[in-house]
Amino acid sequence: MSYLEINDLEKHFVKKTGGMLTSRLETVKAVDGVNLRIEKGEILGLVGESGCGKSTLSRTLMQLIPPTSGSIVLNGENYSTLSPAEVRKRRLDFQMVFQDPYASLNPRMTVFSTLAEAVKQRHKGMKGDALEAKVIELMSTVGLDAAQMKRYPHEFSGGQRQRIAIARALAPEPKLIIADEPVSALDVSIQSQILNLLKDLQRDLGLTLIFISHDLGVVHYIADRIAVMYRGKIVETGTAEEVFNSPQDDYTKRLLASIPKLNVS
Ligand SMILES: Nc1ncnc2c1ncn2[C@@H]1O[C@H](COP(=O)(O)OP(=O)(O)O)[C@@H](O)[C@H]1O
Ligand SMILES: [Mg+2]
């Protein structure tokens, strides 16, 4: 059994279209029968063009929206059969890193407050020196200077803010982190620093990560395995080398052909 098993997962949205007299209900199959396996300590790259269902898949995995059908089994536990109250308790097991760290951090909270709050989600009674030591440890884990912990998000650069967001995701000791386009808003020179940080965290902490991107080059660099998503379905999975060197699916081939400049050696 794999660490994370996603079985026949579907998330359909029903949308009203047309005018008052011609209105009808249309079903958008944002996630349309996804099967995926992820091992502990693995970075899975999820790639596909805008609108193919990547964010909907991640929101469903995060238990933020209920699936239409199918199951999510993490570490042997079937989350799809849990009651809403039990799901809420386990929500800490899943943490996210978003594209825009500035929008996802509270501008009125210092880094210390942000990280302390995230630590206390898991360790409710932690305070004083123990809490401060934990925050300092988190900051050093993501390569930030702990002397800056009383500063606010706007006092940091974009790359540093994404480090804070990563530290916040690590703070409640999740089982799985999903990073949805985490470097897409960063300068190219900063992107590789964040990618290398995530790789270091995988090596040092055994991080299990789903890394979502529309950018095949970025995914190739960071991922152990790649899943290609197209119109709500996973059309191809394989190691980064397999997918790049011998793509099987026509959509993957088209995706690869659209980035001729990429050096994949
Ligand atoms: N809450 C929603 N209601 C209706 N349609 C939605 C909703 N969320 C996403 N969709 C639709 O589902 C499809 C997949 O969207 P999304 O998961 O955001 O794709 P991606 O992250 O790959 O760009 C799109 O057609 C989008 O319009
Ligand atoms: Mg998205």
Side-chain angles (χ1 to χ4, degrees):
M1 185 183 258
S2 296
Y3 186 59
L4 175 67
E5 300 196 342
I6 303 169
N7 302 304
D8 301 323
L9 196 69
E10 295 187 332
K11 180 65 194 182
H12 297 173
F13 297 107
V14 178
K15 268 204 314 209
K16 219 181 194 174
T17 58
M20 205 155 56
L21 295 174
T22 57
S23 90
R24 55 195 179 89
L25 296 178
E26 187 185 302
T27 304
V28 179
K29 298 181 176 178
V31 175
D32 194 19
V34 164
N35 289 286
L36 264 183
R37 301 278 175 273
I38 299 164
E39 304 306 328
K40 197 168 177 16
E42 184 177 48
I43 297 182
L44 178 89
L46 179 66
V47 70
E49 67 198 327
S50 177
C52 73
K54 305 180 298 295
S55 293
T56 303
L57 176 59
S58 71
R59 285 165 63 216
T60 311
L61 284 177
M62 299 293 299
Q63 321 289 321
L64 295 174
I65 49 175
T68 303
S69 65
S71 68
I72 296 159
V73 183
L74 179 63
N75 206 14
E77 187 168 43
N78 189 341
Y79 283 67
S80 320
T81 58
L82 298 175
S83 69
E86 286 175 312
V87 166
R88 267 197 301 281
K89 270 192 224 154
R90 287 166 182 77
R91 203 159 271 160
L92 291 182
D93 292 345
F94 304 87
Q95 293 294 318
M96 280 207 80
V97 176
F98 296 97
Q99 177 171 347
D100 180 354
Y102 201 54
S104 69
L105 294 169
N106 186 333
R108 286 182 300 278
M109 280 169 74
T110 64
V111 178
F112 176 82
S113 311
T114 295
L115 297 182
E117 185 183 83
V119 168
K120 281 160 75 175
Q121 289 183 311
R122 178 72 73 186
H123 302 285
K124 295 226 163 24
M126 199 184 269
K127 55 183 194 304
D129 289 349
L131 185 58
E132 185 167 318
K134 187 81 187 149
V135 170
I136 290 171
E137 182 196 318
L138 280 166
M139 289 189 75
S140 112
T141 300
V142 299
L144 288 171
D145 181 357
Q148 300 181 328
M149 68 184 175
K150 293 291 160 61
R151 296 195 182 176
Y152 292 86
H154 75 265
E155 298 177 81
F156 293 88
S157 68
Q160 286 173 324
R161 283 199 288 263
Q162 200 56 299
R163 288 175 194 268
I164 299 167
I166 292 168
R168 183 183 55 185
L170 292 171
E173 297 157 20
K175 293 192 170 87
L176 177 75
I177 292 182
I178 301 179
D180 194 351
E181 305 271 7
V183 300
S184 307
L186 301 176
D187 290 346
V188 173
S189 60
I190 308 296
Q191 286 190 0
S192 58
Q193 293 175 17
I194 297 297
L195 295 174
N196 287 332
L197 169 65
L198 291 170
K199 278 188 164 193
D200 290 348
L201 295 175
Q202 177 191 29
R203 187 193 59 216
D204 299 339
L205 308 178
L207 188 70
T208 308
L209 178 73
I210 298 180
F211 185 99
I212 299 178
S213 179
H214 66 282
D215 184 335
L216 265 175
V218 161
V219 165
H220 179 266
Y221 182 72
I222 193 165
D224 301 305
R225 275 193 318 125
I226 292 179
V228 181
M229 191 165 187
Y230 180 59
R231 294 189 175 173
K233 296 183 194 304
I234 303 297
V235 295
E236 178 150 3
T237 55
T239 63
E241 295 312 316
E242 284 166 355
V243 170
F244 268 72
N245 296 336
S246 48
Q248 301 299 307
D249 184 82
D250 283 345
Y251 175 69
T252 312
K253 288 176 189 167
R254 289 209 304 278
L255 206 59
L256 284 166
S258 70
I259 45 160
K261 286 188 304 239
L262 186 71
N263 177 6
V264 296
S265 61

